[in-house]
């Protein structure tokens, strides 16, 4: 049997996509809209400040197109924390004007294809830079005021191309080329790779952040030419949006 790579997990992740019922919003009396904005802002502020758990981070984004209007992303140490965050939203009066369009559950992950040193002995005196890099992957920050793209993906298990049948070294080589492509976007793209094996419909959730949305298009396109994507990548739906501060919720809904 081919060898599975070692992995290490960090925070659990919930991508909570909401559509807004714009007709109901327009028709609602002013005081109801004010209450919904007030409770929505309070919810988002408290969750961005992570008042509900020991650690983690949250962020809200406006989403373009018909698939959703809002995306709230939560990173928390446990699935229970995520569940609480999701239910607390339902208790706000803002939730009366939204539906959960879709959602995605995953856990941040680093795998031992490339950072093998880290996995050989976790207590070993590994390079401080590498340790910080790995911690940043497992417990990521969400950059302010940036565009976001989210999509789920899997590695193919086809008759001709089956990722899971390949020997470890071949997979590691392809992941190394993937890493080289990725590093060409250093400073432009920040990515969070979170495993959803056993949790959701695809194998990973990919969340990309960029100041310039063209960089998102460029990296995804470039990676399509890497074997790891061209032969073995299978993709779900794509979502694109932009982060906004909780205080701007009213402007988003009324503007
Ligand atoms: O070199 C290293 O230390 C880390 C190398 C690395 C791994 C192991 C890496 C680098 N990634 C890894 C794992 Mn990635 N990544 C994606 C996508 O659209 C597509 O075709 C793919 C979506 C992007 C855009 C991206 C970006 N990566 C993974 C895995 C898990 C695979 C597994 O375990 O089988 C997936 C699904 C995945 C997908 N990756 C990078 C980037 C970027 C920008 C980098 C380089 C920067 C960095 O290392 O932080």
């Amino acid at each position: 049997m081919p060898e599975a790579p070692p992995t290490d997990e960090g925070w659990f992740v919930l991508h909570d996509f909401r559509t807004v019922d714009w007709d109901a919003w327009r028709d609602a009396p002013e005081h109801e809209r004010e209450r919904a904005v007030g409770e929505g802002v309070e919810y988002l502020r408290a969750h961005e400040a992570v008042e509900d758990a020991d650690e983690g981070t949250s962020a809200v984004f406006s989403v373009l197109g018909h698939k959703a209007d809002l995306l709230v992303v939560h990173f928390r140490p446990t699935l229970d924390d995520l569940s609480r965050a999701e239910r607390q939203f339902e208790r706000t009066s803002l939730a009366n004007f939204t539906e959960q369009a879709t959602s995605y559950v995953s856990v941040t992950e680093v795998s031992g294809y490339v950072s093998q040193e880290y996995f050989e002995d976790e207590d070993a005196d590994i390079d401080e830079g590498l340790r910080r890099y790995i911690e940043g992957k497992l417990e990521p920050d969400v950059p302010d005021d940036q565009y976001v793209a989210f999509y789920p993906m899997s590695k193919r298990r086809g008759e001709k191309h089956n990722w899971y049948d390949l020997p470890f070294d071949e997979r590691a080589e392809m992941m190394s080329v993937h890493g080289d492509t990725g590093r060409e976007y250093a400073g432009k793209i920040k990515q969070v790779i979170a495993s959803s094996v056993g949790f959701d419909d695809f194998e990973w959730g990919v969340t990309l952040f960029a100041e310039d949305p063209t960089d998102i298009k460029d990296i995804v396109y470039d990676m399509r030419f890497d074997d790891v994507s061209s032969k073995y990548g299978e993709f779900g739906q794509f979502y694109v949006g932009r982060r906004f501060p909780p205080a701007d919720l009213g402007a988003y809904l009324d503007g």
Side-chain angles (χ1 to χ4, degrees), residues 136-176:
K137 302 248 166 223
L138 297 178
E139 300 186 353
D141 298 324
V142 178
D144 294 334
D145 193 30
Q146 290 219 346
Y147 291 92
V148 68
F150 170 78
Y151 52 97
M153 68 175 293
S154 292
K155 292 282 167 66
R156 181 163 293 136
R157 286 182 289 141
E159 270 181 39
K160 181 151 177 256
H161 295 300
N162 185 337
W163 176 255
Y164 294 92
D165 267 350
L166 298 175
F168 182 90
D169 290 351
E170 270 180 51
R171 280 175 279 132
E173 173 55 31
M174 278 190 261
M175 287 312 295
S176 156

Side-chain angles (χ1 to χ4, degrees), residues 112 114-122 124-127 130 134:
V114 188
S115 321
Q116 278 154 15
E117 183 196 347
Y118 172 76
F119 289 95
E120 271 154 20
D121 179 0
E122 282 199 38
D125 213 4
I126 63 165
D127 179 66
L130 176 63
I134 286 177

Side-chain angles (χ1 to χ4, degrees), residues 114 133 137 151 155 175 178 182-183 191 204 223 229 235:
V114 188
Y133 169 81
K137 302 248 166 223
Y151 52 97
K155 292 282 167 66
M175 287 312 295
H178 164 86
R183 276 184 291 275
Q191 88 281 16
W204 289 274
M223 285 191 171
S229 295
F235 299 88

Side-chain angles (χ1 to χ4, degrees), residues 15-48:
H15 287 72
D16 188 346
F17 289 91
R18 303 272 161 171
T19 48
V20 175
D21 183 345
W22 294 109
D23 290 336
W25 184 254
R26 261 188 307 270
D27 293 346
E30 173 114 19
H31 69 271
E32 267 185 40
R33 279 188 278 144
E34 275 173 12
R35 196 169 133 226
V37 169
E39 290 182 19
V41 169
E42 196 187 310
Y43 171 89
L44 294 169
R45 275 214 183 107
H47 283 76
E48 290 203 5

Side-chain angles (χ1 to χ4, degrees), residues 28-240:
E30 173 114 19
H31 69 271
E32 267 185 40
R33 279 188 278 144
E34 275 173 12
R35 196 169 133 226
V37 169
E39 290 182 19
V41 169
E42 196 187 310
Y43 171 89
L44 294 169
R45 275 214 183 107
H47 283 76
E48 290 203 5
V50 194
E51 288 169 9
D52 59 344
D54 293 343
E55 44 178 0
T57 182
S58 294
V60 60
F61 305 84
S62 59
V63 178
L64 286 98
H66 72 286
K67 289 179 226 151
D69 295 307
L70 292 170
L71 161 64
V72 187
V73 182
H74 302 287
F75 294 91
R76 291 291 183 281
T78 70
L79 275 179
D80 298 342
D81 296 326
L82 292 181
S83 170
R84 205 172 317 117
E86 189 177 18
R87 281 177 287 125
Q88 278 170 354
F89 181 84
E90 293 298 351
R91 285 204 289 273
T92 67
S93 48
L94 176 63
N96 298 340
F97 295 99
T98 73
E99 289 291 332
Q100 194 171 39
T102 185
S103 65
Y104 208 78
V105 177
S106 56
V107 62
T108 58
E109 178 195 72
V110 290
S111 63
Y113 285 126
V114 188
S115 321
Q116 278 154 15
E117 183 196 347
Y118 172 76
F119 289 95
E120 271 154 20
D121 179 0
E122 282 199 38
D123 301 324
D125 213 4
I126 63 165
D127 179 66
E128 188 50 33
L130 176 63
R131 188 183 296 282
R132 266 207 307 274
Y133 169 81
I134 286 177
E135 278 168 9
K137 302 248 166 223
L138 297 178
E139 300 186 353
D141 298 324
V142 178
D144 294 334
D145 193 30
Q146 290 219 346
Y147 291 92
V148 68
F150 170 78
Y151 52 97
M153 68 175 293
S154 292
K155 292 282 167 66
R156 181 163 293 136
R157 286 182 289 141
E159 270 181 39
K160 181 151 177 256
H161 295 300
N162 185 337
W163 176 255
Y164 294 92
D165 267 350
L166 298 175
F168 182 90
D169 290 351
E170 270 180 51
R171 280 175 279 132
E173 173 55 31
M174 278 190 261
M175 287 312 295
S176 156
V177 174
H178 164 86
D180 292 344
T181 306
R183 276 184 291 275
E184 286 169 25
Y185 290 82
K188 292 188 193 164
I189 293 281
K190 191 176 161 356
Q191 88 281 16
V192 175
I193 305 300
S195 172
S196 43
V197 172
F199 294 156
D200 220 317
D201 300 344
F202 283 75
E203 293 170 349
W204 289 274
V206 177
T207 311
L208 306 177
F209 301 103
E211 197 100 43
D212 179 348
T214 311
D215 289 327
I216 294 176
K217 191 276 293 173
D218 285 343
I219 192 173
V220 174
Y221 190 53
D222 269 0
M223 285 191 171
R224 290 291 161 107
F225 293 92
D226 279 343
D227 283 351
V228 76
S229 295
S230 65
K231 294 200 175 77
Y232 299 102
E234 290 187 346
F235 299 88
Q237 289 203 296
F238 285 68
Y239 298 82
V240 64

